[in-house]
Amino acid sequence: MITPVLLCGGSGTRLWPLSRKSYPKQFSPLVGEQSLFQASAQRLVGNGFTEPLVLSNSDFRFIVTEQLAEIGIDPGAILIEPEGRNTAPAVLAAALWLEQSDPEGLMLVAPSDHVVPDAAAFRTAVKAGEDAAHNGQLVTFGITPTHAETGYGYLEMGAPVEGVISVPLKRFVEKPDVAKATEMLADGNYLWNAGIFLFSVKAILEAFTTHAPDLVTSVRKAVDQSMSDLGFLRLDPDCWSEVEDISIDYAVMERADNLSVVPFAAGWSDLGGWDAVWRESTHDRRGVATSGAATAIDCDDTLLRAEDSKLEVVGIGLKNIIAVAMPDAVLVADVSRAQDVKLAVAALKEKRAKQATEFPKDHRPWGWFESLAIGERFQVKRIVVHPGAALSLQSHHHRSEHWIVVEGTAKVTIDDTEELISENQSVYIPLGAVHRMENPGKVPMVLIEVQTGSYLGEDDIIRYEDVYARDKEN
């Protein structure tokens, strides 16, 4: 059996404004109806695969469980990284965890933000690499290049072995310039490095012990001292803070001599920019791809996306343009400058614009909320609470609140009283009152919250009880 190991801690700034630090691209449906994370998990279910092991950070842990539940997948374990430390520590932590139950088993490490349209072909490729992995090889998957791409690293293949689909891997090549990429494309012996790996738990631990022994010591401490937290496994933050920030390529793969690569030519993209999203989208006869309430008039080779049902995006006479409209931010760029979107994020951070990192919808363990209107001393929010979910028991120093239920039923606690509030009913929470909101029903509950006070920040919350243990977080 193969254990899928899904990595989903990245921020994806090159797909701003849809992808942001608080809600990165892997959780969004960039191509198709499912999120990239859901599609990645869905590809790796069925015969030959165990439940996936997921590595994420604390902010995304409930998004991970929610999105897996939506597609009927129960994860085997979810490891929480206290902070990002790149792919080598994440993969090593997963291997050390799996060593406890299946040291001879295989693990398939895959980023959760890639697009692979043909899931069956990908599973066939994984099957083709199994023998090599069982024999102690560190197997990677290389994508047959379709153009001279400068945004990917490359893999140079060695001489093929008769009757074996996997090929010895000669070397890794850093991201090239245009001339070098063109040369490698013409050579035909190079593949794009997809960052997907298959190996046995035993083999990858031996490789880390040989090539990065200090990393093994520090990550093992973090795993050994990890704590169970509401079904998650939280790696020890003090030990993790001492772990080196390094990729698995640099830590192990570029130093190992037991490497194989399985070529894959059935379609793949890491969606590393809006130009990649345009390429993976369905186009009309003039190369225009639209999403949501977007209309193109006399446009060519253009991507138009409206990421809110209340927005209408119209492009007229555009050529080679990316236009992505969110409720709080709009991106317009030439397709050739797609990789420079990260410069926009840096510029917004410099001016301290919250749009640089914060998503319009604030996702929480119990559901989500969005601000509808903000004034100097008031704020209006729409709040959606999942069935059976509850907000923390809390109070505020600086604001009072009115709640108006517009869908479903809310169970409301205010100091020593409890009551059920149905659609079109409202309740007032005075400043300083200890209160909680719950959804006792079987459908999402939606309410409008009107806050008034001298300070309306999200940090004006004193938590007394929380079913998600956020009252115990630092």
Side-chain angles (χ1 to χ4, degrees):
M1 298 289 283
I2 298 174
T3 300
V5 177
L6 296 175
L7 309 178
C8 59
S11 59
T13 57
R14 287 177 294 179
L15 287 177
W16 182 90
L18 183 62
S19 178
R20 308 187 197 182
K21 182 180 179 181
S22 67
Y23 198 77
K25 67 175 181 175
Q26 57 265 30
F27 301 119
S28 296
L30 274 159
V31 178
E33 297 297 320
Q34 293 181 328
S35 73
L36 300 179
F37 171 67
Q38 288 174 317
S40 298
Q42 197 81 63
R43 268 196 301 275
L44 304 175
V45 296
N47 292 336
F49 294 100
T50 69
E51 298 86 359
L53 187 157
V54 180
L55 284 103
S56 186
N57 64 40
S58 185
D59 291 340
F60 305 148
R61 66 194 191 279
F62 294 107
I63 299 174
V64 164
T65 54
E66 179 182 324
Q67 291 206 349
L68 288 177
E70 287 176 359
I71 58 175
I73 293 178
D74 184 19
I78 299 176
L79 274 57
I80 304 301
E81 299 175 82
E83 54 187 305
R85 278 292 185 264
N86 216 316
T87 54
V91 173
L92 179 54
L96 290 168
W97 175 252
L98 292 172
E99 182 187 32
Q100 302 172 31
S101 58
D102 191 12
E104 301 291 336
L106 300 185
M107 53 190 290
L108 177 71
V109 178
S112 62
D113 56 359
H114 291 182
V115 171
V116 182
D118 193 338
F122 180 74
R123 288 192 288 268
T124 298
V126 172
K127 186 72 176 176
E130 279 192 60
D131 285 345
H134 277 302
N135 291 328
Q137 291 288 295
L138 307 180
V139 180
T140 186
F141 295 84
I143 310 303
T144 302
T146 57
H147 57 278
E149 175 62 53
T150 60
Y152 302 147
Y154 284 70
L155 306 170
E156 183 180 3
M157 293 183 286
V161 178
E162 186 176 352
V164 179
I165 297 176
S166 60
V167 179
L169 178 56
K170 189 173 181 179
R171 67 184 178 109
F172 288 76
V173 181
E174 295 292 330
K175 295 177 182 178
D177 57 24
V178 174
K180 183 62 177 177
T182 302
E183 178 185 323
M184 289 190 291
L185 179 66
D187 183 281
N189 202 44
Y190 293 85
L191 305 169
W192 289 336
N193 182 6
I196 304 172
F197 304 98
L198 177 68
F199 31 63
S200 70
V201 174
K202 178 181 179 181
I204 192 60
L205 289 179
E206 287 177 352
F208 271 109
T209 300
T210 300
H211 303 293
D214 291 344
L215 196 63
V216 175
T217 300
S218 55
V219 174
R220 188 180 291 278
K221 287 181 181 177
V223 173
D224 289 346
Q225 298 181 38
S226 61
M227 296 185 62
S228 179
D229 175 9
L230 296 176
F232 306 100
L233 186 76
R234 191 182 292 274
L235 301 172
D236 183 81
D238 292 332
C239 297
W240 195 256
S241 67
E242 300 175 0
V243 170
E244 183 182 2
D245 186 331
I246 187 171
S247 73
I248 190 171
D249 284 359
Y250 287 141
V252 172
M253 295 298 169
E254 294 184 5
R255 304 177 184 183
D257 57 7
N258 56 331
L259 300 173
S260 295
V261 58
V262 174
F264 183 71
W268 168 89
S269 174
D270 73 343
L271 291 188
W274 284 112
D275 53 339
V277 175
W278 171 76
R279 284 194 297 269
E280 294 298 321
S281 301
T282 301
H283 308 107
D284 66 14
R285 60 185 179 82
R286 297 181 63 172
V288 176
T290 60
S291 176
T295 302
I297 300 172
D298 194 26
C299 295
D300 295 284
D301 300 329
T302 287
L303 177 69
L304 298 177
R305 294 180 66 108
E307 299 297 338
D308 189 286
S309 60
K310 299 184 290 294
L311 294 171
E312 287 285 345
V313 176
V314 180
I316 302 175
L318 303 178
K319 186 173 183 179
N320 299 324
I321 292 296
I322 295 163
V324 182
M326 298 284 291
D328 63 339
V330 178
L331 169 71
V332 181
D334 190 278
V335 171
S336 66
R337 301 294 299 276
Q339 296 301 310
D340 290 336
V341 171
K342 58 187 177 183
L343 301 179
V345 177
L348 291 173
K349 286 181 179 178
E350 183 70 22
K351 62 190 292 187
R352 298 184 178 179
K354 66 178 183 179
Q355 288 90 338
T357 56
E358 296 179 20
F359 202 70
K361 288 183 179 179
D362 197 323
H363 291 261
R364 296 298 173 95
W366 43 260
W368 56 269
F369 69 83
E370 62 180 341
S371 294
L372 304 177
I374 302 176
E376 186 175 344
R377 292 181 61 87
F378 76 91
Q379 180 171 204
V380 181
K381 291 181 177 179
R382 176 167 63 153
I383 299 176
V384 178
V385 183
H386 298 315
L391 281 68
S392 61
L393 186 67
Q394 59 186 251
S395 65
H396 309 293
H397 283 307
H398 303 287
R399 69 175 185 255
S400 59
E401 298 170 343
H402 284 85
W403 293 343
I404 305 98
V405 176
V406 294
E407 292 182 31
T409 299
K411 179 181 177 182
V412 176
T413 300
I414 304 176
D415 291 327
D416 297 325
T417 65
E418 278 188 4
E419 60 179 317
L420 292 177
I421 306 297
S422 301
E423 291 182 12
N424 299 320
Q425 293 183 322
S426 63
V427 65
Y428 172 65
I429 298 92
L431 186 151
V434 177
H435 59 282
R436 189 203 303 268
M437 175 201 314
E438 304 174 57
N439 180 0
K442 298 185 180 299
V443 297
M445 183 266 289
V446 182
L447 62 81
I448 302 300
E449 177 182 85
V450 180
Q451 303 175 351
T452 56
S454 59
Y455 178 72
L456 307 173
E458 288 302 313
D459 54 348
D460 181 24
I461 296 178
I462 303 170
R463 289 192 174 98
Y464 303 98
E465 294 177 8
D466 184 46
V467 295
Y468 310 106
R470 291 170 297 169
D471 55 327
K472 297 179 175 60
E473 292 181 356
N474 292 332

